[in-house]
Amino acid sequence: MRLYVATHNRHKLREISQILPEFDVIADDSEGIEETASDFIGNAFIKVRAIAAKHPGSWCMADDSGLEVKALGGAPGVRSARYAGEPSSTPRNNALLLRNLEGVEDRAANFTCAVALVDPNGVEHSAVGKCFGRIATAPSGAEGFGYDPLFVPDGYGKSFAELSADEKNAISHRGRALAEVRRILMV
Ligand code: ITT
């Protein structure tokens, strides 16, 4: 079954394909869509509605996700991709996050993934997944993307970027949201 995904983020797309191997995941590049909502699910619906009209009769999906750091009042949050400004830059985002947490002891954080779906009849569905952990004091690992080298999930002594794709997907915010999406798609 085809699943159109509104994203220009190839790392996200790869994870979605890995987590949902039974579906034919096709990217519809969402670059240029303005993410103006104040929460993840609102932005996910902005993105999926922007592509749904192009694919009548098919499932469409969007993932809006990000990192929320307790000591920073939930930042970078919905601004995760552009935390250090435009154009979006992972090295600058990660450096800014470490700078903003210098000397901070409580480094608790979570990733959130909000998924919005439009089914072949135009009915909307949603799912949310979270993964809790903390922000390391220095980056480690080369897997994954984005903030992965700085995020250490609870119960692990390693960052997301030190885990294999399968290990990350088994516990990640995206893995959890997409487990619910699989149930929605299978009905
Ligand atoms: P699309 O909107 O085109 O899907 P995007 O990268 O702009 O791509 P978001 O607006 O949802 O997507 O921003 C998500 C950002 O949050 C992403 O760029 C990363 O910086 C961060 N992020 C989300 N999931 C992540 C993960 O699993 N690991 C590391 N960082 C992640």
Side-chain angles (χ1 to χ4, degrees), residues 6-9 12 15 30 35 47 63-67 78 80-82 88 90 93 111 145-148 160 168 173-174:
T7 187
H8 69 275
N9 183 324
K12 247 189 210 182
E15 288 190 1
S30 63
E35 297 176 30
K47 290 190 272 191
D63 156 327
D64 200 69
S65 43
L67 180 68
V78 291
S80 290
R82 291 154 200 86
S88 176
T90 291
N93 288 341
F111 273 116
F145 69 102
Y147 298 95
D148 282 350
F160 260 178
K168 176 184 171 185
H173 48 310
R174 187 160 295 106

Side-chain angles (χ1 to χ4, degrees), residues 34-114:
E34 281 212 54
E35 297 176 30
T36 50
S38 57
D39 56 12
F40 295 113
I41 195 65
N43 282 328
F45 272 114
I46 288 174
K47 290 190 272 191
V48 76
R49 286 172 189 150
I51 69 158
K54 291 195 263 170
H55 308 290
S58 291
W59 280 94
C60 292
M61 182 183 119
D63 156 327
D64 200 69
S65 43
L67 180 68
E68 299 173 296
V69 180
K70 192 174 155 203
L72 301 177
V78 291
R79 294 197 37 79
S80 290
R82 291 154 200 86
Y83 187 41
E86 305 262 9
S88 176
S89 159
T90 291
R92 287 193 298 118
N93 288 341
N94 287 4
L96 179 61
L97 180 61
L98 282 182
R99 206 158 54 242
N100 287 343
L101 286 175
E102 250 166 34
V104 175
E105 268 193 25
D106 180 359
R107 304 179 76 90
N110 69 272
F111 273 116
T112 296
C113 174

Side-chain angles (χ1 to χ4, degrees), residues 115-163:
V115 176
L117 292 151
V118 178
D119 75 19
N121 299 316
V123 178
E124 296 182 341
H125 310 258
S126 63
V128 176
K130 287 183 187 282
C131 181
F132 291 86
R134 63 186 167 80
I135 305 301
T137 50
S140 54
E143 302 298 319
F145 69 102
Y147 298 95
D148 282 350
L150 294 178
F151 183 79
V152 178
D154 284 345
Y156 287 73
K158 298 179 186 182
S159 77
F160 260 178
E162 292 178 288
L163 301 182

